[in-house]
Amino acid sequence: MTVTVPVPTMPRRRKDPSQIRQPAGGEKKVLLAAPRGYCAGVDRAVIAVERALEHYGAPVYVRKEIVHNRHVVDTLSEQGAIFVDETDAVPEGARVVFSAHGVSPAVHAEAATRSLDTIDATCPLVTKVHREAVRFAKRGYSIVLVGHAGHEEVEGTMGEAPEAITLVQDPQEARTVDLPDTDKLVWISQTTLSVDETMETVDILRERYPHLENPPSDDICYATQNRQVAVKKVAPAADLVIVVGSANSSNSVRLVEVALEHGAKASHRVDFAREIDEEWFHGVATVGVTSGASVPEVLVQDVIRLLADYGYTDVEEVRTAEEDLIFSLPSELRKDLKAAAGS
Ligand code: 2E7
Ligand code: F3S
């Protein structure tokens, strides 16, 4: 784990587990989805801020939340990171880290005019989508970006080719959107969407615009896909699926939706174990647990401990894929760390 300072959990009054209505027959069980939690892009971004703090000293400014997780942001803040909404809140000439979700060229330009030292922690898989957008726009394509308005990743990607991109958020919008009258039409997407809903959106668009071309490779990233596949495996057997992740974490919120669509009787998202409501356990034999790509494992283990307090001591991991991808640190930071090591 890269973020190791635990946030103390609030003491909560718990019912005696024997007072919670027991499931009729059957043991209490936890199905722990894997893969879950940190992806390679989050690991890299969080380590980048930690290393920057160690190497340059506090404060280090970070534009937007480095990743969408309350615990990560609070912990890095305690270590000296200052999170700002825009680069104009960063003092002239100071150092700023761009978040894993990516930034538009306009943000890079503004940072340059303010002489900021930038460390770009944009996930390389988001950079890939940016490059796709630029390439298609240069070739004269109109681009449909499937994604959610207002999400930082979408703002960054749209900023690469604003005149060429139309945002389509969901199947409903796909039914009504007016796309430019052109032969050259392609879709790309945000990296953290529901795979199934995105395919539905694209199918509807293609019924209306049969010449719509596919992107050269998946934009929904490996981590998003793997976490959805794992929760799909757990959900049919689960009376309740608990997803650990923050409210503004797109991929975490998608996991709740996917769990419900694939047979979970109920599903709730929590930032911390202390938010779990004991009422959720009434009549529940099997609890599924997973976490979004921005969630440190320590928060999942807090949930597992709380479940044990309620009698859910039998934990089975349900693994659907192995992950071993590692991204190297942002090049600006690597260069400075290397220079310091050599001196
Ligand atoms: C960057 C990107 O920080 P997250 O919760 O972000 P989402 O996009 O799901 O709100 O998760 C990690 C992450 C995912 N995608 C970071 Cl582009
Ligand atoms: Fe990157 Fe996917 Fe994680 S886009 S930050 S690997 S969720």
Side-chain angles (χ1 to χ4, degrees):
M1 294 312 312
T2 52
V3 173
T4 48
V5 181
V7 164
T9 45
M10 296 280 290
R12 41 178 291 126
R13 286 190 48 194
R14 285 187 203 140
K15 258 186 198 163
D16 173 352
S18 63
Q19 286 183 297
I20 293 181
R21 192 160 28 91
Q22 298 299 303
E27 290 296 298
K28 286 178 164 184
K29 182 156 191 159
V30 176
L31 298 176
L32 182 56
R36 63 177 178 279
Y38 271 21
C39 61
V42 166
D43 209 33
R44 168 185 190 257
V46 174
I47 293 174
V49 178
E50 291 175 337
R51 290 281 157 78
L53 283 164
E54 281 163 24
H55 183 69
Y56 307 110
V60 166
Y61 291 84
V62 183
R63 182 187 177 275
K64 308 283 186 192
E65 294 188 349
I66 185 74
V67 297
H68 291 151
N69 185 264
R70 192 68 273 134
H71 174 80
V72 170
V73 169
D74 289 348
T75 305
L76 292 172
S77 298
E78 283 160 19
Q79 293 170 7
I82 297 179
F83 290 90
V84 296
D85 251 354
E86 286 306 334
T87 42
D88 60 13
V90 180
E92 286 264 343
R95 182 163 281 103
V96 64
V97 181
F98 292 145
S99 85
H101 312 94
V103 295
S104 69
V107 173
H108 281 288
E110 156 139 13
T113 63
R114 297 175 54 73
S115 309
L116 303 182
D117 261 327
T118 58
I119 297 173
D120 188 355
T122 302
C123 176
L125 301 182
V126 174
T127 303
K128 185 208 87 169
V129 180
H130 284 209
R131 292 207 177 113
E132 257 171 27
V134 171
R135 214 171 40 244
F136 281 119
K138 277 196 181 139
R139 288 163 57 197
Y141 275 80
S142 280
I143 301 166
V144 175
L145 173 62
V146 183
H148 295 145
H151 190 283
E152 285 137 38
E153 180 187 345
V154 164
E155 286 174 354
T157 304
M158 289 197 79
E160 292 285 357
E163 68 302 327
I165 297 180
T166 307
L167 183 64
V168 174
Q169 300 198 72
D170 52 28
Q172 244 167 312
E173 281 194 9
R175 285 188 192 97
T176 55
V177 68
D178 260 332
L179 295 177
D181 185 14
T182 166
D183 288 347
K184 290 176 149 187
L185 191 61
V186 66
W187 70 274
I188 61 175
S189 85
Q190 191 178 336
T191 56
T192 52
L193 301 179
S194 152
V195 173
D196 296 337
E197 189 183 283
T198 303
M199 286 310 125
E200 198 187 329
T201 301
V202 170
D203 286 347
I204 293 165
L205 287 171
R206 189 161 286 122
E207 269 172 33
R208 301 182 56 220
Y209 300 92
H211 56 293
L212 177 66
E213 294 178 33
N214 291 326
S217 61
D218 283 343
D219 291 333
I220 299 180
C221 75
Y222 81 98
T224 301
Q225 297 196 32
N226 284 348
R227 281 148 194 70
Q228 288 175 17
V229 169
V231 85
K232 282 182 189 178
K233 184 101 184 260
V234 161
D239 302 303
L240 164 68
V241 170
I242 295 173
V243 176
V244 187
S246 291
N248 60 344
S249 168
S250 166
N251 78 91
S252 303
V253 172
R254 302 290 83 76
L255 290 173
V256 173
E257 295 167 359
V258 171
L260 290 170
E261 280 157 14
H262 285 79
K265 294 198 183 76
S267 181
H268 299 283
R269 181 202 54 75
V270 294
D271 259 299
F272 301 105
R274 62 177 182 261
E275 294 165 12
I276 290 173
D277 184 340
E278 58 196 23
E279 299 297 324
W280 298 348
F281 297 129
H282 284 160
V284 165
T286 301
V287 182
V289 176
T290 188
S291 58
S294 47
V295 180
E297 181 64 10
V298 65
L299 301 182
V300 175
Q301 292 308 317
D302 283 349
V303 168
I304 296 296
R305 266 192 298 278
L306 181 131
L307 289 171
D309 287 352
Y310 283 108
Y312 298 89
T313 48
D314 177 9
V315 180
E316 181 191 339
E317 187 168 80
V318 178
R319 176 168 293 279
T320 52
E322 299 290 341
E323 290 180 349
D324 54 11
L325 189 62
I326 295 174
F327 292 132
S328 55
L329 288 174
S331 55
E332 315 86 333
L333 180 59
R334 245 185 306 141
K335 190 165 62 69
D336 285 355
L337 294 176
K338 199 171 159 200
S343 61

